[in-house]
């Protein structure tokens, strides 16, 4: 697998998406090219974004977590933004995406990594911890239900209504048409729910629009949801032994609070913290709070950091 730095491949993002402390890189993994941002040094921490985001979802976490002592990777998952966009629905099944993240961890020259996942990225984190437990150290889940809990939740009429978009996105071509209409208004709308005090501006919206406009991106992003309902690309349920912290904004309009707590049968070492008054996009609405919780949960004891014990 080959790694390329930003200097070698050109500047992939507009200046607004750059910071001198991080580097844009590409890794050739599993026959495709994955774009990611890297910062810091120390234990590897991989940040996994959800729909309809890309690495930029973690812009308020990358440098703070790097400063806390982590080597941070924030990839564009396959199909998103600057990463490759393979053809076919099953190319976006959970099994394929999990293998990308496993290979990305291996490309860093380490055997294990911490994971932080939000929304669909949380699903990837759950699945990687089930399929490849040896590569997962600890997991932080942000508003992303364990798959067993999500399946149960869909039996609830209220959650079924909240998740209407999953079924709409199964249709051919129409979701792409609707998502691209009016300058991607449908995809931008969820971010407009973020409270004004979070500091979102036209710059953020434009960054997302640029990502949506990457050739083939919309079709690939929507294929994640099409693949969800095709078992051939899924990951079987297995018990997760890694310690897990679930952080859940209780005002999430898409995923009800009852989905937050995973079954102890499947995740025996989980701790759940409900964040009162916070919506779906915790990393945008309460970035400092999220950063503190991540560091507190993942930071190794000082004795281990100093080589003692």
């Amino acid at each position: 697998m080959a790694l390329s730095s930003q200097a070698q491949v050109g500047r992939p993002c507009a200046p607004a998406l750059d910071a001198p402390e991080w580097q844009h890189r590409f890794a050739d993994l599993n026959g495709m090219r994955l774009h990611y941002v890297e910062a810091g040094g120390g234990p590897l921490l991989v940040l996994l974004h959800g729909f309809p985001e890309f690495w930029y979802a973690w812009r308020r976490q990358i440098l703070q977590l790097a400063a806390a002592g982590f080597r941070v990777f924030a990839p564009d998952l396959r199909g998103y933004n600057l990463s490759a966009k393979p053809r076919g629905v099953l190319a976006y099944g959970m099994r394929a995406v999990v293998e990308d993240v496993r290979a990305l961890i291996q490309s860093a020259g380490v055997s294990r990594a911490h994971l932080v996942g939000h929304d669909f990225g949380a699903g990837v984190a759950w699945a990687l911890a089930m399929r490849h437990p040896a590569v997962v150290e600890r997991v932080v889940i942000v508003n992303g239900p364990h798959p067993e809990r999500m399946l149960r939740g869909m039996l609830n009429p209220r959650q079924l209504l909240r998740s209407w978009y999953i079924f709409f996105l199964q249709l051919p071509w129409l979701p792409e048409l609707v998502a691209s209409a009016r300058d991607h208004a449908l995809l931008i709308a969820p971010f407009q729910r973020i409270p004004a005090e979070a500091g979102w501006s036209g710059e953020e919206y434009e960054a997302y629009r640029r990502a949506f406009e990457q050739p083939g991106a919309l079709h690939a992003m929507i294929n994640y949801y099409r693949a969800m309902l095709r078992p051939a690309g899924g990951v079987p349920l297995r018990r997760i032994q890694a310690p897990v912290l679930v952080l859940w904004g209780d005002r999430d309009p898409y995923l009800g609070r009852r989905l937050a707590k995973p079954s102890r049968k499947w995740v025996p070492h989980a701790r759940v913290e409900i964040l009162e008054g916070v919506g779906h996009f915790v990393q945008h609405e309460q970035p400092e709070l999220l950063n503190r919780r991540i560091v507190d949960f993942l930071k190794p004891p000082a004795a281990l950091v100093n080589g003692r014990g």
Side-chain angles (χ1 to χ4, degrees), residues 77-110:
L77 297 179
R78 63 165 58 197
Y80 283 87
N81 192 38
L82 299 178
S83 286
K85 298 163 183 64
R87 294 183 179 181
V89 171
L90 286 183
Y92 300 92
M94 191 60 75
R95 190 177 306 169
V97 182
V98 159
E99 293 306 319
D100 290 345
V101 179
R102 182 186 63 82
L104 182 63
I105 292 170
Q106 289 182 331
S107 77
V110 299

Side-chain angles (χ1 to χ4, degrees), residues 14 22 37 41-42 45 83 93 103 111 119 122 125 190 216 225 230 232 251 261 264 304:
W22 64 48
V37 166
L45 171 54
S83 286
S111 59
D119 185 73
Y225 283 93
R230 300 193 183 186
R251 292 191 179 178
K261 187 175 182 179
R264 293 189 67 84
L304 295 179

Side-chain angles (χ1 to χ4, degrees), residues 48-300:
L48 301 168
H49 67 80
F51 177 93
E53 302 205 75
F54 61 114
W55 74 263
Y56 189 63
W58 303 108
R59 65 194 180 281
R60 294 178 178 171
Q61 281 70 51
I62 294 170
L63 295 183
Q64 290 81 354
L65 295 173
F70 295 99
R71 182 184 181 190
V72 179
F73 280 15
D76 289 328
L77 297 179
R78 63 165 58 197
Y80 283 87
N81 192 38
L82 299 178
S83 286
K85 298 163 183 64
R87 294 183 179 181
V89 171
L90 286 183
Y92 300 92
M94 191 60 75
R95 190 177 306 169
V97 182
V98 159
E99 293 306 319
D100 290 345
V101 179
R102 182 186 63 82
L104 182 63
I105 292 170
Q106 289 182 331
S107 77
V110 299
S111 59
R112 298 170 69 84
H114 298 298
L115 305 176
V116 177
H118 170 251
D119 185 73
F120 215 106
V124 178
W126 287 122
L128 182 59
M130 289 189 290
R131 187 166 176 82
H132 296 293
V135 306
V136 176
E137 194 72 52
R138 287 184 167 226
V139 182
V140 178
I141 297 293
V142 185
N143 281 66
H146 183 273
E148 185 268 346
R149 188 60 68 196
M150 187 65 186
L151 287 172
R152 286 181 175 270
M154 295 300 281
L155 300 177
N156 182 289
R158 188 173 180 181
Q159 181 58 52
L160 198 60
L161 185 61
R162 287 184 174 196
S163 301
W164 66 270
Y165 58 91
I166 295 177
F167 304 99
F168 170 69
L169 294 175
Q170 304 304 311
L171 299 174
W173 66 263
L174 183 60
E176 285 87 343
L177 183 65
V178 172
S180 62
R182 295 184 298 121
D183 205 12
H184 304 93
L186 184 67
L187 297 179
I188 292 295
F191 304 112
Q192 293 172 331
R193 293 173 176 264
I194 297 171
E197 55 267 26
W200 270 60
S201 66
E203 182 177 278
E204 278 83 6
Y205 295 125
E206 185 57 30
Y208 277 86
R209 287 189 177 99
R210 285 200 299 271
F212 302 152
E213 290 167 358
Q214 291 293 326
L218 280 183
H219 183 60
M221 292 160 59
I222 292 169
N223 272 346
Y224 273 80
Y225 283 93
R226 293 179 176 130
M228 276 179 64
L229 302 187
R230 300 193 183 186
V235 172
L237 283 176
R238 292 177 184 165
R239 191 177 175 93
I240 294 174
Q241 294 297 341
V244 178
L245 173 64
V246 177
L247 300 170
W248 200 277
D250 76 327
R251 292 191 179 178
D252 189 326
Y254 314 108
L255 300 167
R257 178 172 174 163
R258 67 177 60 195
L259 299 180
K261 187 175 182 179
S263 166
R264 293 189 67 84
K265 173 184 175 181
W266 297 108
V267 194
H269 308 297
R271 188 173 91 229
V272 178
E273 181 178 348
I274 302 298
L275 306 177
E276 304 289 343
V278 183
H280 180 70
F281 296 100
V282 180
Q283 70 272 39
H284 303 310
E285 297 178 41
Q286 292 290 337
E288 294 83 7
L289 173 63
L290 178 60
N291 295 343
R292 288 197 302 271
R293 294 294 190 272
I294 292 172
V295 172
D296 289 346
F297 183 68
L298 300 185
K299 197 70 173 174

Side-chain angles (χ1 to χ4, degrees), residues 301-309:
L304 295 179
V305 171
N306 295 326
R308 301 189 300 273

